[in-house]
Amino acid sequence: MLRDPRCPQGPSRRGVLAGVGGSAAALPLMTQPAHAQSSQARQIGEAVDVVLTVNGRDHRLTLDPRTTLLDALREHIGLTGSKKGCDQGQCGACTVLLDDRRVLSCLTLAVVAQGRAVTTIEGLAAGEALHPMQAAFIAHDAFQCGYCTPGQILSAVACVHEGHAGDPEQVRRYMSGNLCRCGAYPKIVAAVVEAAPRMRSA
Ligand code: FES
Ligand code: FES
């Protein structure tokens, strides 16, 4: 069975909530909408100081300890390139790199990302020069609405680093966690296959 390589290395939001163990307070939180969760979390958790290194720059934040990496990026740092699709680990729109490994930032706590290098779509290009994967997505017109595209590109970059971009079938399998409502899959696969050798030789 194929394993999604983006499972967070550290405790996930769900894991931490589950790790509250027999706490009766935790279970109701898991079944409530996010806004209700964060409202209760504010009552439960005390703010913590966090330093996140995103795209090579340190950001000092004071966060509720339950804040996800995705919300820290979008709402506290102002990097909105990482998209919130499902907020439940099912669509891949929020994929970012954590020490060059892909993670679902909606399932990763911001505090877990401390001391690690976070790369978002905003940090992929080298100045004016697009990353080979970004260039390939444009060359192949591998998007329509573009909502899934940041997550697709970061997932694709990691896919190549993992050695899982050898042929179209492999790319389809290892990119299967990134959904595209617009159905741009054939062009996405073509872009990844084309960019892979360029990344290896860069
Ligand atoms: S928003 Fe994270 S997987 Fe959908
Ligand atoms: S390009 Fe629209 S969701 Fe993928």
Side-chain angles (χ1 to χ4, degrees):
M1 180 154 166
L2 193 62
R3 222 172 135 237
D4 191 328
R6 287 167 303 171
C7 290
Q9 298 305 298
S12 68
R13 178 173 55 170
R14 279 184 195 168
V16 168
L17 286 172
V20 175
S23 166
L27 290 176
L29 279 177
M30 295 175 72
T31 59
Q32 291 177 0
H35 61 85
Q37 289 184 24
S38 57
S39 164
Q40 290 198 19
R42 272 195 293 277
Q43 297 169 20
I44 296 170
E46 285 188 18
V48 293
D49 292 329
V50 176
V51 180
L52 293 181
T53 305
V54 184
N55 303 329
R57 187 176 152 206
D58 287 347
H59 297 268
R60 298 179 186 283
L61 308 170
T62 301
L63 302 173
D64 184 291
R66 295 168 190 240
T67 304
T68 64
L69 178 57
L70 179 60
D71 284 344
L73 291 170
R74 290 180 56 84
E75 297 174 18
H76 295 268
I77 298 177
L79 293 175
T80 56
S82 306
K83 301 304 183 199
K84 184 178 282 189
C86 63
D87 205 20
Q88 295 181 348
Q90 295 179 3
C91 73
C94 64
T95 303
V96 300
L97 304 183
L98 204 53
D99 287 342
D100 291 330
R101 295 176 68 103
R102 47 183 165 171
V103 298
L104 297 171
S105 60
C106 74
L107 292 187
T108 304
L109 290 171
V111 293
V112 171
Q114 284 199 102
R116 304 170 74 179
V118 181
T119 304
T120 69
I121 192 69
E122 291 93 341
L124 211 52
E128 295 295 309
L130 291 178
H131 187 282
M133 193 61 75
Q134 291 174 304
F137 266 64
I138 291 172
H140 284 269
D141 199 18
F143 47 83
Q144 290 183 38
C145 77
Y147 197 80
C148 72
T149 309
Q152 297 277 6
I153 289 176
L154 286 164
S155 191
V157 168
C159 194
V160 173
H161 287 316
E162 293 160 11
H164 293 149
D167 56 56
E169 177 54 27
Q170 207 175 28
V171 171
R172 274 192 287 273
R173 288 179 61 203
Y174 283 91
M175 293 280 295
S176 62
N178 287 83
L179 306 184
C180 175
R181 293 178 299 189
C182 302
Y185 297 113
K187 293 180 177 180
I188 291 171
V189 172
V192 178
V193 169
E194 182 196 284
R198 293 188 187 172
M199 282 178 57
R200 291 190 205 106
S201 61

